[in-house]
Amino acid sequence: MIAVALKGLAARKVRAVLTAFAVVIGVSMVSGTFILTDTMQKTFDGLFAASYDKTDAVIDGKEIVKNSTTGNGVTVPASLLTKVRALPEVGSASGTVAPEEANVADIIGRDGKAVAKESLGVSIDPANERFSPLAIKTGEWPHGFGQVVVDAGTAAKEHYKIGDKVTIATPGKRAQYTLTGTASFGGVDSLGFGSIAVWDVSTAQSLLDREGRYDTISIAAKPGTPTADLVDAVQPLVPSTLEVKDAAAEADEQAEDLNTGMNYVRYFLLGFGGIALFVGAFVIFNTLSITVAQRTREFATLRTLGASRKQVMRSVVLEGLVIGLLASAIGLVMGFGIAKGMLALFSALGVDLPEAGTVFALRTIIVSLVLGTGITLLATLLPARRATRVPPIAAVREGSTLPQSRLAAHSLKAGLGVTLSSVAAISAGVFASGLSGMAVGLLLAVGVIGLFFGIALLAPRLVKPLARVVGWPARRAGGVAGELADANALRNPGRTASTAAALMIGLTLVTVVAVLGAGMNKSTESAVTDQLRAAYVVDGEEGVPFSADHGNELAKVPGITAASHVRSDQALVEGEETAVTGIDPATIGRFYRFDWVKGSERDLGRDGALVTQDYADDHNVAIGGKLALQSPSGEKKTVVVRGIYDPPVAKALLSQVSIAQATFDDAFPNAKNTYTFLDGDKDALAALNAAAKGYGDATVHTGAAYPKDATKDLSTFLAMLYVLLAFSVIVSLFGMVNTLVLSVFERTRELGMLRAIGMTRRQARRMIRHESVITALIGAALGLGLGVFLAALVTQALSDYEVPLSIPVTSLAAFTVVAILAGIAAAILPARRASRLNVLDALHYE
Amino acid sequence: MSITPLVRPVVVQNGTTPEAVVSARDLVRRYGDGDTAVHALRGVSLDIARGQLTAVMGPSGSGKSTLMHILAGLDQPTAGEVTIAGIDITNLDDTALTTLRRDHIGFIFQFFNLLPMLTAAENIALPLKLAGQRPDPQWLEELVATVGLSDRLTHRPSELSGGQQQRVAVARALASRPSVMFADEPTGNLDSTTSGEILTLMRQSVDQLGQTTVMVTHDAHAAAIADRVLFLADGDIVRDRGPSTAHEILETLEEVGSR
């Protein structure tokens, strides 16, 4: 039977490949994700290793607040370096200037704008090169005040040559420096997202506000001295604001943090690969069901020759196995291509990732093969069982229809049952309180998958009414071809339904994303409109706070009549890491509308705090209550709650805890702004834009446009989701092509008859095309309907978050058009085949 | 018009004769119930003698195909028993029936029913391979020579003419040397010349190999090669003739058809 199965596949190679492709896409997404994330992880691990490669111990500031965006501002006095060098355990030591704050050394390009989104400014001690992850690539290290070295990637991008003058903006100063060389970081030309400017130590200290100080001291132990001893020796010298750490441990810790982050990305992407695989399984199930039905006589003959049911089962399962293996192998290779493609895409979007060797782990190969083959086998099981039910008597003409599967009679009950229990599961996951994240995820996943199966079971009964609606254009405007197409779709509602169901899955998810996205966009926009009244808004690039100096400069632009700055950073409030804003009580009220529950910003005073209603409820705080605050630099303050307000949850512009700006600037070492609100006349816009051109970290928006601008990040995220879901839609396209090709094959004689009685080739093509579009539209109707339903459920559950149910009619219309186009595209191959039939041969076809 | 009574089989203790490969007793096949029931067979009994070619004839609706399907174990009778090679097949489960098909039954179909992706040689050897047996190359060679396909062995069915395909089918049916070979309208899809060739082949297999054969046909020329011709009408056996000419067969058909 093995030979029979294999030869069967070989004889129908094109069909086998088309079937296999349903799974290829899903497997390639899975393998591509692994390869991409593995490569990125290895690259970053490599960078961390390079940073601490020849270092045994590191002295730097204690990290009090983990996620501070402005740094702890603690520096290491140069005197400490002298003391450390004097220790017998120390082989060599060197200090480095490398401020944690973002964008302290923006390289300004010829167009006046910063060349990179982020910038780093560091020092190099050529005598102690070993401690730096930087290595000189061309030219030499800078000596003296006027010289700089730049990372090789930026130099290449901006076409800098050695000897060129490079303009760099450091805090409070913008000057030109002579380029003496280019450097690589950890063996890599570019850190991707940022530019690196390198000065000698004294220059860096003066430019970056580190006179007489360093950010870190790197130490190498004398050969033969264990790192633990080194650390013990240095420990007593280190004041309480600093700490000394084992460099290797430090590197591991940083790598660990990155790996956790990378895992989130990995599982997120794998989820979409899983969806594509799920749709692929559906398509394989559908295709195999059709081919089994078409091979009824073949299976029956085998049974009359003495094949047992087990042998028949094994032969079909073997076919599935071969298709699965083939698909997995192709998918694996394609995944490699996708990973490379993604890296190129990042590059095109301006995020140059450090290039390192692509990681093709054994795990990737095994998981891809197992998943792809396993899913295919699972999808094969049911059709294989149907094949065993073919009675031997079907070998003679009379009895040659496939017996109805035992389930078919109960499909209505089963369909309703599965659908209702799935809706119950989803509702439980969405509405029930007190469930762990994992339980919710499980309920939702099982519920949604079950819902798809349930609808697929019910779909055959929905085909008739749906086809009546979506087939109307075909019937009216399609002529005979359209009418026949409409009738054909109803002929085998089960088959039409399962083909449409594959498309339904992708479209449901896309619709859910669209509807929820529209709701979130709306709530964000109205939240901003409710809170903000300003002619102009300045915010940080990608949510990262920008320099207060930039904010002040913009406030001084001619035409600006009023300004209010908002500082922000993470701090420990009552021991818990919380975002804290610093506002100016005198000016904030003009721009920000507080929805007061109690008190007002005028009561703020130097030691006051404003908290949101949610914060007050969660932490049991009332007016007059005291909050202990600790900034990233360790500075402690106690603030008294003087006002409670209730901002819109969707996008609160201020953090849960706000204090007076003067107090903020006092406590936080590198206070930066999240917003600067400005009032002024229309003409000020040009001046503002001109001033902000050189700022890499801040963007100017008009107050009218800001509600929309604030949703930009969300829109980008939604677009990415659409792309990821598009893969699943493509898989279902393959399913539609498969089904159509098989059905044309099946109807060869009938098509021959139609042509013989006068149907033209064009009419035949149109008939097939109409069938395809009708099927696709049924899938769209099911998908859009289901998607809106699910989105409505989620919206209801999110009612606390004030997300409205907003149906994006344009998007939904677009999806319908996409479905129609998909139908037309899927019909191209089968329609050609139908029109090319040799009439005489077709009439005699058995 | 007097009707020749049904042949009474020679009955022995357990209901089969030592010469009868296939035996049927009081076969009834009814579809549906009550007033709308269709009675395809109304109590047919017969014995198929070893080493003979028995033809079953009748107009359409006579029940001849139904009879063959039941005799061959493809269908279950509403009442009655069938025995093949001494085994009561009436209530056998699927596994046992499968074994039976491997060891005792061969088939020839009207539409050849060859597997399109296998060559002629592979099609012929298929029943043996399914049974897990290694085909005896000498026996296969003899078979192939007998049916006259020695130069066509590596061809697929699509590369063979109708007659050649049916010859492959005959070889396939004979390959496992079954106790009985059932042929369902073997010449139904062939022209008269090719039909003649196939019929000669079938006659040869009976004479030279002693292959017991049951053939259902509406073709008088086909029935003319048989050792015994049974005529069915309306679910009953109405005539039982020995070797007959095509002319005699046609006359009998007319006779029973006008009832």
Side-chain angles (χ1 to χ4, degrees), chain A residues 297-306 391-398, chain B residues 68-69 72 74 101 105-115 127 162 165-170 172-173 181-190 198 202 214 216:
Chain A
R297 193 123 69 90
E298 195 180 296
F299 291 124
T301 305
L302 280 168
R303 300 275 278 122
T304 64
L305 296 179
I393 198 169
V396 293
R397 283 237 101 186
E398 285 91 318
Chain B
M68 196 197 80
H69 295 165
L74 295 175
R101 288 184 194 118
I105 305 180
F107 277 104
I108 302 177
F109 301 95
Q110 181 178 359
F111 293 99
F112 326 136
N113 286 35
L114 299 179
L115 291 187
Q165 287 185 60
Q166 195 63 302
R167 281 195 249 167
V168 174
V170 171
R172 177 178 73 183
M181 187 165 77
F182 290 98
D184 181 15
E185 305 277 7
T187 60
N189 225 34
L190 304 171
I198 295 298
M202 285 175 67
V214 177
V216 160

Side-chain angles (χ1 to χ4, degrees), chain A residues 522-844:
Chain A
K522 228 197 186 132
S523 67
T524 302
E525 278 184 41
S526 54
V528 171
T529 317
D530 280 348
Q531 295 171 84
L532 199 56
R533 262 187 323 256
Y536 300 105
V537 177
V538 184
D539 66 1
E541 201 60 43
E542 319 225 316
V544 176
F546 58 97
S547 132
D549 287 338
H550 288 164
N552 292 338
E553 280 167 31
L554 289 175
K556 295 208 190 80
V557 161
I560 294 297
T561 52
S564 186
H565 304 286
V566 176
R567 310 263 198 262
S568 177
D569 198 2
Q570 299 279 111
L572 294 179
V573 179
E574 294 290 309
E576 194 186 319
E577 195 165 305
T578 317
V580 173
T581 343
I583 53 175
D584 177 7
T587 54
I588 191 71
R590 178 191 177 127
F591 298 101
Y592 185 88
R593 203 185 127 261
F594 286 95
D595 191 6
W596 291 113
V597 177
K598 264 201 171 83
S600 128
E601 83 272 19
R602 298 184 201 291
D603 306 331
L604 198 54
R606 273 200 80 96
D607 63 345
L610 305 174
V611 299
T612 62
Q613 179 72 63
D614 285 342
Y615 186 87
D617 289 340
D618 288 343
H619 295 81
N620 234 333
V621 162
I623 300 280
K626 292 211 173 68
L627 293 173
L629 196 145
Q630 191 176 29
S631 82
S633 65
E635 187 82 26
K636 287 201 172 95
K637 293 238 185 258
T638 309
V639 290
V640 179
V641 177
R642 296 257 163 75
I644 302 180
Y645 67 106
D646 196 13
V649 164
K651 189 173 175 74
L653 295 174
L654 304 179
S655 313
Q656 297 207 304
V657 177
S658 304
I659 60 178
Q661 199 160 86
T663 316
F664 190 100
D665 291 346
D666 226 18
F668 290 75
N670 300 305
K672 288 199 175 182
N673 294 355
T674 37
Y675 298 107
T676 292
F677 302 130
L678 300 166
D679 263 346
D681 54 45
K682 284 199 306 280
D683 309 321
L685 182 59
L688 281 174
N689 279 328
K693 203 156 82 133
Y695 301 161
D697 60 354
T699 321
V700 174
H701 307 266
T702 62
Y706 196 63
K708 202 83 212 268
D709 291 349
T711 64
K712 195 182 71 146
D713 285 340
L714 183 64
S715 301
T716 316
F717 182 64
L718 286 181
M720 184 178 74
L721 289 183
Y722 286 145
V723 169
L724 287 172
L725 287 173
F727 284 111
S728 301
V729 173
I730 293 177
V731 174
S732 58
L733 263 189
F734 274 107
M736 281 181 15
V737 176
N738 271 356
T739 309
L740 267 180
V741 165
L742 289 172
S743 106
V744 163
F745 184 65
E746 202 173 69
R747 290 182 279 160
T748 305
R749 200 131 61 105
E750 185 182 307
L751 283 166
M753 180 273 292
L754 284 169
R755 296 268 286 119
I757 64 171
M759 182 183 250
T760 64
R761 284 188 206 265
R762 176 178 288 172
Q763 280 175 316
R765 279 201 299 272
R766 279 196 13 231
M767 182 177 82
I768 303 295
R769 206 178 304 136
H770 274 297
E771 274 179 51
S772 183
V773 171
I774 289 175
T775 308
L777 282 177
I778 293 179
L782 289 171
L784 263 56
L786 203 55
V788 170
F789 171 69
L790 285 175
L793 262 187
V794 175
T795 303
Q796 188 57 36
L798 290 181
S799 54
D800 285 348
Y801 291 90
E802 301 167 1
V803 177
L805 182 65
S806 170
I807 312 266
V809 181
T810 345
S811 299
L812 295 188
F815 296 155
T816 311
V817 170
V818 166
I820 295 177
L821 290 176
I824 295 178
I828 295 176
L829 189 71
R832 276 178 69 204
R833 268 175 146 229
S835 71
R836 290 233 182 114
L837 284 179
N838 178 305
V839 178
L840 210 53
D841 289 344
L843 284 172
H844 288 122

Side-chain angles (χ1 to χ4, degrees), chain A residues 500-518:
Chain A
L503 189 59
M504 164 187 82
I505 297 175
L507 285 180
T508 304
L509 295 172
V510 168
T511 304
V512 168
V513 168
V515 175
L516 286 181

Side-chain angles (χ1 to χ4, degrees), chain A residues 39 43 187-190 340 343-344 347 352-358:
Chain A
T39 305
T43 306
V188 159
D189 273 359
S190 160
K340 285 281 191 186
L343 289 169
S347 182
D352 275 310
L353 282 178
E355 281 269 339
T358 322

Side-chain angles (χ1 to χ4, degrees), chain A residues 475-494:
Chain A
R475 284 198 303 276
R476 286 299 303 279
V480 169
E483 284 173 30
L484 282 174
D486 191 46
N488 283 335
L490 294 174
R491 233 156 128 163
N492 193 336

Side-chain angles (χ1 to χ4, degrees), chain B residues 106-160:
Chain B
F107 277 104
I108 302 177
F109 301 95
Q110 181 178 359
F111 293 99
F112 326 136
N113 286 35
L114 299 179
L115 291 187
M117 65 282 209
L118 300 181
T119 63
E122 288 161 346
N123 265 294
I124 294 172
L126 189 55
L128 296 170
K129 289 242 184 82
L130 283 174
Q133 293 168 18
R134 182 155 288 140
D136 174 15
Q138 226 182 346
W139 165 233
L140 282 184
E141 226 181 278
E142 200 185 311
L143 249 188
V144 167
T146 312
V147 301
L149 281 174
S150 310
D151 59 340
R152 283 266 182 272
L153 281 178
T154 55
H155 290 202
R156 297 219 156 73
S158 56
E159 298 160 341
L160 301 172

Side-chain angles (χ1 to χ4, degrees), chain B:
Chain B
M1 175 104 45
S2 72
I3 300 162
T4 319
L6 292 173
V7 168
R8 294 227 185 281
V10 177
V11 181
V12 179
Q13 303 85 329
N14 57 2
T16 63
T17 70
E19 297 292 67
V21 176
V22 183
S23 280
R25 292 285 169 274
D26 304 314
L27 288 181
V28 174
R29 186 59 168 103
R30 187 179 63 237
Y31 298 99
D33 274 311
D35 294 337
T36 54
V38 174
H39 297 269
L41 295 175
R42 297 174 190 270
V44 169
S45 304
L46 53 77
D47 293 310
I48 303 292
R50 185 186 301 283
Q52 282 199 346
L53 199 162
T54 311
V56 178
M57 293 209 74
S60 76
S62 56
K64 63 182 189 294
S65 294
T66 311
L67 176 60
M68 196 197 80
H69 295 165
I70 292 177
L71 289 179
L74 295 175
D75 191 12
Q76 295 264 39
T78 317
E81 291 150 15
V82 179
T83 315
I84 298 184
I87 307 164
D88 182 347
I89 74 166
T90 330
N91 293 310
L92 280 187
D93 69 12
D94 190 76
T95 319
L97 273 174
T98 305
T99 317
L100 191 81
R101 288 184 194 118
R102 285 180 188 171
D103 301 336
H104 296 289
I105 305 180
F107 277 104
I108 302 177
F109 301 95
Q110 181 178 359
F111 293 99
F112 326 136
N113 286 35
L114 299 179
L115 291 187
M117 65 282 209
L118 300 181
T119 63
E122 288 161 346
N123 265 294
I124 294 172
L126 189 55
L128 296 170
K129 289 242 184 82
L130 283 174
Q133 293 168 18
R134 182 155 288 140
D136 174 15
Q138 226 182 346
W139 165 233
L140 282 184
E141 226 181 278
E142 200 185 311
L143 249 188
V144 167
T146 312
V147 301
L149 281 174
S150 310
D151 59 340
R152 283 266 182 272
L153 281 178
T154 55
H155 290 202
R156 297 219 156 73
S158 56
E159 298 160 341
L160 301 172
S161 70
Q164 288 163 340
Q165 287 185 60
Q166 195 63 302
R167 281 195 249 167
V168 174
V170 171
R172 177 178 73 183
L174 293 172
S176 56
R177 283 180 261 219
S179 303
V180 56
M181 187 165 77
F182 290 98
D184 181 15
E185 305 277 7
T187 60
N189 225 34
L190 304 171
D191 62 48
S192 50
T193 321
T194 337
S195 295
E197 288 168 10
I198 295 298
L199 292 170
T200 312
L201 213 49
M202 285 175 67
R203 187 70 240 177
Q204 230 182 320
S205 69
V206 174
D207 294 335
Q208 290 176 9
L209 305 173
Q211 178 65 60
T212 312
T213 308
V214 177
M215 173 172 62
V216 160
T217 184
H218 64 271
D219 179 358
H221 291 283
I225 67 163
D227 300 306
R228 181 183 178 196
V229 186
L230 293 169
F231 291 84
L232 260 74
D234 265 336
D236 285 309
I237 298 181
V238 295
R239 288 281 189 281
D240 187 349
R241 298 180 60 101
S244 315
T245 66
H247 184 70
E248 290 164 329
I249 290 168
L250 281 171
E251 276 189 351
T252 319
L253 269 177
E254 236 189 270
E255 226 185 283
V256 302
S258 59
R259 283 168 73 226

